[in-house]
Amino acid sequence: MIRRIQESHSIVSFELVPIDVDRSLVFIAGQFVALRLSLPDGETLLRHYSLSGDPADTSRWRISVKLESTPPGRGSAHLHECVGVGDELELAGPAGAFVCDEGNERPVLLMSGGVGVTPHVSMLHRLALASARRVHVIHACENSVVHAFRDEIRRLAATRDGIQVHVCYRNPLASDEETCAYDSTGLLTKETLQSLLPLDDYEVYLCGPPGFMQASWRLLRELGVARLRIHYEFFGPATVLEPEETVGAPEPVPVAAPILAANESGISVRFHPQSDPLPWNPACGSLLEMAEQAGYAPAFNCRVGVCNACTTPLLAGRVDYIEKPLVPPPDGEVLLCCARPVTEVTLALQPPRT
């Protein structure tokens, strides 16, 4: 670690360079890295942090970490209190699919709450310097004390026409009023978004605390933004946004088992003990892909063995790993995203609804 930067009262950025000078630092704006932290008491933690720097700068990586206090965050506390310039960190990545789609010219909406701004800073670097698309940056936080990257975002927005920034403080300080540090107060509302966003077909990138995500998702859907145009990411099962969309909706229909091609090895997979065995399909990249084809909906995030979100009980059988996991799962568990069966296996997934 070569530099620490205090971005706000609760967020610190860490600039990192590799020990191996040949290590590539290429990443896509929006991706994250996984850190394996060794605490003084001997415990090991795995934590994920978005890369917040400029993707064009391949000399270093920057992660930006909020000191979590409710509940206390052991990983963030260790980084804030114990890691200084010159210390070494063990990490893997980059990974993640929460990246800005550069395959179209739709206007972009970067909508964040609190520390959710970190991947958006990286995206804005890319959009400001390598794109002519219109960009709306909407950020909500408590006040200037916890507002990170304010100057960096304003500076990027000033590099070209077509980038608009709106800041909403829930509880501004008296000094915030004097310095005009914000554009609106309270909570973001439908009326605020309507006043800021011309009618258009946006690509939305949404990131922030669960409450902010739920409220923002609801507002965007009420404004007519298509579900497929709202991109978001969770480290774990992304169920927090689903209730608003699934009330009264038909249950998902499992994909019929015959699409799973038989194979000559005779290996079969049971996704839960009461399920029928399905022939392992070598065309599937992993047990996760096969489970999805069979109508299951396992939790996942990185799909490359980094985040451990897809850890699932392995009740019987043996698997092999296509990609070596950053942290191997405990005995009796398997990472679906990078595993293939070596023998007949039985897993403990929740059965799909019928």
Side-chain angles (χ1 to χ4, degrees), residues 13 61 152 250 315:
S13 286
W61 277 347
E152 184 171 345
L315 304 182

Side-chain angles (χ1 to χ4, degrees), residues 56-351:
D57 182 357
T58 58
S59 67
R60 67 195 65 201
W61 277 347
R62 182 177 74 179
I63 60 172
S64 303
V65 181
K66 179 185 176 183
L67 179 61
E68 299 291 348
S69 56
T70 310
R74 302 189 67 203
S76 63
H78 176 74
L79 287 167
H80 275 243
E81 298 168 7
C82 303
V83 175
V85 173
D87 289 338
E88 295 181 5
L89 294 171
E90 183 180 3
L91 56 82
F98 184 63
V99 297
C100 196
D101 178 13
E102 299 185 15
N104 64 69
E105 294 300 317
R106 292 187 187 90
V108 174
L109 170 57
L110 304 178
M111 192 169 178
S112 62
V115 74
V117 72
T118 53
H120 288 177
V121 180
S122 182
M123 290 181 183
L124 188 58
H125 272 279
R126 179 70 181 167
L127 290 164
L129 302 178
S131 172
R133 297 162 75 180
R134 286 194 295 109
V135 182
H136 292 268
V137 181
I138 298 178
H139 179 63
C141 61
E142 195 72 9
N143 50 50
S144 61
V145 172
V146 294
H147 186 180
F149 304 110
R150 177 178 58 193
D151 294 340
E152 184 171 345
I153 288 174
R154 295 287 184 186
R155 186 171 64 251
L156 288 169
T159 59
R160 68 168 176 85
D161 294 334
I163 302 177
Q164 302 295 324
V165 178
H166 181 92
V167 174
C168 179
Y169 283 174
R170 189 169 69 166
N171 290 304
L173 306 174
S175 57
D176 296 336
E177 299 178 12
E178 296 170 2
T179 58
C180 301
Y182 59 91
D183 302 293
S184 64
T185 62
L187 301 176
L188 288 171
T189 65
K190 183 178 179 180
E191 291 71 28
T192 300
L193 295 185
Q194 285 175 320
S195 70
L196 296 173
L197 304 175
L199 292 176
D200 216 328
D201 186 16
Y202 293 92
E203 293 285 348
V204 180
Y205 297 88
L206 182 62
C207 197
F212 170 85
M213 299 280 280
Q214 287 177 315
S216 299
W217 175 275
R218 184 168 57 250
L219 290 175
L220 291 165
R221 296 291 289 128
E222 289 175 358
L223 288 173
V225 180
R227 187 187 310 185
L228 293 178
R229 297 281 179 246
I230 306 174
H231 310 279
Y232 58 92
E233 182 178 51
F234 290 94
F235 296 129
T239 58
V240 68
L241 304 183
E242 294 175 359
E244 298 295 334
E245 295 298 312
T246 57
V247 175
E251 298 290 348
V253 178
V255 179
I259 70 168
L260 302 172
N263 68 91
E264 298 178 358
S265 69
I267 295 175
S268 63
V269 178
R270 292 180 187 268
F271 288 108
H272 61 96
Q274 290 75 41
S275 67
D276 294 329
L278 299 176
W280 162 246
N281 179 7
C284 291
S286 65
L287 283 168
L288 176 60
E289 290 185 20
M290 182 177 173
E292 290 172 333
Q293 285 192 19
Y296 294 80
F300 70 89
N301 185 60
C302 70
R303 302 185 83 100
V304 291
V306 172
C307 72
N308 286 41
C310 64
T311 301
T312 301
L314 176 64
L315 304 182
R318 291 187 297 110
V319 301
D320 191 19
Y321 285 105
I322 313 153
E323 299 283 346
K324 184 179 179 181
L326 177 64
V327 177
D331 291 343
E333 297 187 344
V334 62
L335 298 185
L336 298 179
C337 71
C338 55
R340 292 183 174 183
V342 175
T343 66
E344 294 184 2
V345 300
T346 301
L347 303 167
L349 285 176
Q350 288 294 320

